[in-house]
Amino acid sequence: MAAKSARKRAAAKPKPAATTPRKPRRKKAAPQSRGLSPADVASDSVEYPTEILDAVREDGGEVLGVYREPLGGHPVVLAVLPIDKVEPTPYQRDLSEPHVKRLASAMERLDRFLDPVIAVRKDGRYWTPNGNHRLHASKMLGAKSIVALLLPDEDVAYQILALNTEKAHNLKERSLEVVRMYRGLVGAGRAGAEKTFAHLFEEPAFITLGAAYEQRPRFSAGAYHPFVKVVEDFLDLPLDKALAVREARAQRLLELDDAVVAVVNALKDKGMQSPYLKNFVVARINFLRFRKGGAKPDFDDTVEKMLASARKFNLDSVKREDIGRMGGGPLEPDEEHA
């Protein structure tokens, strides 16, 4: 009898929900098993890029040294460059004026510049993908030159952004950075399908959200990011054609945002106030929250269904305690007043 009862309890017990398989954990490398020794880093036995060395001198700069970076052994040129020939890449995060002023004050107080920027040579100019704030702080102080770690491979400029962990990116910064990089690749005529550049873009949702931010700087992407991540994937289309798809999808998101804002304003008129109103409305119309596995949903179909739900949103079904339970983490800067 006891065995029979146990079988009944086991049958009644709900099965655990299917979960996404975890990525295999990275194995810890053996100590000192990779890269170069100090002597190898400093060795001049490797062929260094003489063209870039000559170009630096022709541009009015000076080569201070050449070495191989210790992980992959790639050549790096330590150079001092005329500051008026150094500029940020056109696809990185927007400049923070308060950060530049704080940095300039610290540099002036110490009377030192100690952290070289990273740079690549581009058409007689020098792009820095990692050092924009240091560059502008130096210019603010009237500096004549700036020390740089010059990388001979121009393509590294597109990849080095992934190493910029100096300040955590919020969703807006990351999305704009990715879509600007995307446009830079298209403008440079880079061949290949979008999915072959996945390692640069990190997440397909960033491209679409970035295109939306370009059209609407105060776009509250944080409310839409959860479902966009589910429906987006890297496209098997050439970059220029894929960009047109991204721009069209961004326009659809803005159309959805207009409908959501109309609901939010109606709720405010009913006396409901909360910084999470938009997140609440989007969560209500997001039918994907009930999804349990299966094929990836289509982007256009998903937005169309959510748009229809927003347009027929039942305001009377919303209770103050529902919104009170919404809560959540910190809002993106542009979501606080959305």
Side-chain angles (χ1 to χ4, degrees):
M1 183 67 69
K4 187 175 180 180
S5 299
R7 285 195 298 271
K8 286 184 177 180
R9 287 195 299 271
K13 187 177 181 180
K15 295 181 180 179
T19 57
T20 304
R22 291 185 178 181
K23 294 181 180 179
R25 182 177 295 179
R26 179 188 294 275
K27 294 182 179 179
K28 187 176 181 180
Q32 302 183 41
S33 62
R34 182 178 176 183
L36 308 181
S37 68
D40 292 331
V41 170
S43 173
D44 59 1
S45 61
V46 68
E47 182 180 350
Y48 286 116
T50 56
E51 289 185 6
I52 194 71
L53 303 183
D54 294 337
V56 168
R57 298 184 181 101
E58 290 173 5
D59 294 335
E62 290 292 338
V63 175
L64 303 178
V66 183
Y67 66 94
R68 289 187 289 174
E69 53 83 20
L71 187 61
H74 305 288
V76 180
V77 178
L78 179 62
V80 56
L81 305 171
I83 200 166
D84 60 346
K85 290 195 173 184
V86 182
E87 58 193 43
T89 56
Y91 40 76
Q92 61 185 280
R93 79 176 81 189
D94 293 330
L95 196 72
S96 168
E97 293 293 345
H99 184 50
V100 170
K101 291 177 181 178
R102 287 194 299 269
L103 187 56
S105 296
M107 290 166 58
E108 187 172 39
R109 186 169 62 253
L110 295 173
D111 197 27
R112 284 171 173 80
F113 177 87
L114 299 175
D115 193 1
V117 301
I118 294 174
V120 295
R121 190 172 187 270
K122 176 75 172 178
D123 300 328
R125 308 286 295 176
Y126 294 87
W127 279 5
T128 172
N130 191 342
N132 191 19
H133 289 91
R134 279 165 281 161
L135 172 65
H136 277 77
S138 297
K139 288 183 175 181
M140 181 179 288
L141 295 175
K144 299 176 182 178
S145 60
I146 191 166
V147 178
L149 300 179
L150 187 57
L151 309 179
D153 185 2
E154 181 184 317
D155 282 353
V156 175
Y158 293 102
Q159 302 174 44
I160 201 68
L161 292 168
L163 297 178
N164 189 358
T165 56
E166 189 176 281
K167 171 181 174 288
H169 292 51
N170 61 34
L171 182 58
K172 179 177 182 178
E173 289 175 333
R174 185 59 179 149
S175 299
L176 283 172
E177 189 176 76
V178 166
V179 78
R180 289 168 183 171
M181 188 192 311
Y182 200 119
R183 294 190 185 281
L185 290 168
V186 172
R190 298 298 293 271
E194 180 188 273
K195 66 180 183 180
T196 63
F197 296 90
H199 63 291
L200 299 182
F201 304 138
E202 186 178 338
E203 184 182 303
F206 290 150
I207 310 170
T208 301
L209 296 177
Y213 269 124
E214 287 181 323
Q215 298 179 57
R216 185 174 295 173
R218 298 297 296 272
F219 178 56
S220 305
Y224 304 97
H225 188 213
F227 90 81
V228 176
K229 284 177 64 175
V230 174
V231 300
E232 280 287 28
D233 209 347
F234 289 111
L235 305 175
D236 193 14
L237 291 172
L239 280 176
D240 56 341
K241 290 183 171 57
L243 181 57
V245 174
R246 295 296 179 189
E247 291 171 337
R249 290 183 175 182
Q251 191 60 48
R252 292 291 284 159
L253 282 181
L254 295 181
E255 186 180 353
L256 175 60
D257 188 52
D258 289 338
V260 169
V261 168
V263 176
V264 169
N265 290 337
L267 289 172
K268 289 180 178 179
D269 290 342
K270 289 172 67 70
M272 298 186 183
Q273 299 291 331
S274 169
Y276 298 102
L277 268 180
K278 179 174 284 189
N279 296 65
F280 171 80
V281 173
V282 174
R284 273 285 181 96
I285 65 175
N286 179 15
F287 63 95
L288 294 181
R289 69 185 188 276
F290 303 114
R291 173 176 172 265
K292 296 180 180 179
K296 179 180 283 291
D298 179 75
F299 180 94
D300 290 320
D301 288 347
T302 300
V303 173
E304 188 62 36
K305 289 178 182 178
M306 293 179 66
L307 188 57
S309 296
R311 287 170 175 164
K312 62 180 183 182
F313 194 93
N314 184 3
L315 299 175
D316 295 330
S317 68
V318 179
K319 300 176 181 177
R320 294 182 185 277
E321 55 266 30
D322 295 335
I323 299 175
R325 286 194 295 267
M326 187 68 193
L331 296 175
E332 293 290 326
D334 289 331
E335 292 178 8
E336 295 176 2
H337 309 290

